[in-house]
Amino acid sequence: MTGKIKSLLLGALCALGGGGPAVLWADQAPVSCADFRFEETPFTACEIDLTRAQMRLFLRDGAGEIFGSFLNVADSLPENQVLAFAMNGGMYHPDRRPVGLYVEQGQEEMRIITSDGPGNFGLLPNGVFCLNAGKAAVIEARNFEAAPPVCEYATQSGPMLVIDGALHPAFLPDSTSRYIRNGVGVRMEGTSVVAVISDAPVTFHQFARVFRDHFAINNALFLDGNVSRFYAPQLGRADFGLPFGPILGAVVDAQTGLE
């Protein structure tokens, strides 16, 4: 059975899941996904329990070619695993190489960048999403550089959305800059990750408040905008488009992951 077929099977078996956030977070599955609304704007979120799901980054396949799509990642998995969630995992150059720090299986492909610069990435403070030993953290990039933690997987992006419970200081409530956006936040204990995509164009201010006010998350990181896509087989969702760079995903056992 190919990864593509496995992922579609997972979607069919879990199609009755979902509902609003109350149902989503009450679900005890390793990966729980649902559509919801915040201030009348539609969003989709998945919460990943790192004690029961393996969250990781994907960039290149076994031949060194960049995956570029969710289905390519799903097809690469062993027969006993399925891709239960994925979204684009950070900004990338035209050749799809990561823009900032990128670590996969403990190997650094791209160094950290802490200087300010143009675009969203350079809107400091930016940050790093770090995964190691079944725990996750969102860390401001300059703090990360000053005291680098061990990360089996890491991706840098920017700007930070929520910093120790405060919104990024550059975000304006009356901004007119609206895009589809995706990002990631980590709950206080570090074993639960919430990944969110807006299903309509939103400002940075509103997107950050989804993490802080709706999910009570103190540290969250913007991953990308405009090109953002989401893979949630529980919801029958597999966005497609032009090939992209890093992919953030969660892998579960093909049997127990369906509980």
Side-chain angles (χ1 to χ4, degrees):
M1 185 185 297
T2 68
K4 180 177 180 180
I5 294 174
K6 287 188 294 182
S7 65
L8 293 176
L9 176 60
L10 175 63
L13 291 171
C14 295
L16 296 179
V23 174
L24 171 61
W25 308 141
D27 190 350
Q28 296 301 305
V31 177
S32 301
C33 302
D35 301 317
F36 68 100
R37 300 185 79 84
F38 176 76
E39 297 177 346
E40 301 307 315
T41 301
F43 294 86
T44 301
C46 290
E47 181 158 13
I48 299 91
D49 178 354
L50 299 184
T51 67
R52 294 189 293 154
Q54 180 195 8
M55 197 168 194
R56 56 163 296 185
L57 288 155
F58 301 86
L59 182 63
R60 302 180 189 277
D61 62 20
E65 298 296 320
I66 292 178
F67 282 111
S69 75
F70 302 137
L71 291 184
N72 284 344
V73 170
D75 281 339
S76 75
L77 297 176
E79 288 293 311
N80 64 338
Q81 295 181 340
V82 292
L83 185 65
F85 148 80
M87 66 182 181
N88 45 309
M91 298 176 189
Y92 50 92
H93 295 289
D95 63 0
R96 293 181 282 147
R97 291 181 300 109
V99 170
L101 178 71
Y102 185 84
V103 177
E104 187 172 332
Q105 294 183 321
Q107 300 298 309
E108 181 178 294
E109 172 149 337
M110 177 60 190
R111 64 179 179 83
I112 194 166
I113 298 173
T114 56
S115 56
D116 60 1
N120 292 329
F121 186 94
L123 184 60
L124 302 184
N126 61 23
V128 175
F129 177 64
C130 170
L131 290 160
N132 190 62
K135 287 200 170 185
V138 170
I139 306 167
E140 191 273 323
R142 290 181 175 176
N143 290 339
F144 186 101
E145 183 181 48
V150 175
C151 301
E152 185 178 7
Y153 297 95
T155 183
Q156 182 185 8
S157 191
M160 290 277 286
L161 295 169
V162 186
I163 311 156
D164 296 329
L167 301 189
H168 190 292
F171 296 169
L172 302 175
D174 57 354
S175 172
T176 59
S177 176
R178 295 177 179 273
Y179 291 96
I180 300 293
R181 305 185 191 273
N182 75 293
V184 64
V186 180
R187 295 200 185 276
M188 290 291 290
E189 70 279 6
T191 58
S192 180
V193 173
V194 178
V196 181
I197 188 170
S198 68
D199 294 321
V202 294
T203 65
F204 268 129
H205 195 276
Q206 185 183 21
F207 193 54
R209 285 187 291 109
V210 169
F211 286 95
R212 187 192 67 178
D213 301 343
H214 190 74
F215 292 116
I217 286 174
N218 286 333
N219 290 283
L221 179 65
F222 174 70
L223 290 178
D224 214 339
N226 199 30
V227 301
S228 300
R229 299 201 292 277
F230 208 78
Y231 179 89
Q234 285 188 23
L235 306 177
R237 178 169 178 171
D239 297 349
F240 61 90
L242 294 174
F244 45 67
I247 293 172
L248 179 64
V251 176
V252 298
D253 183 84
Q255 300 299 321
T256 61
L258 296 177
E259 295 178 355

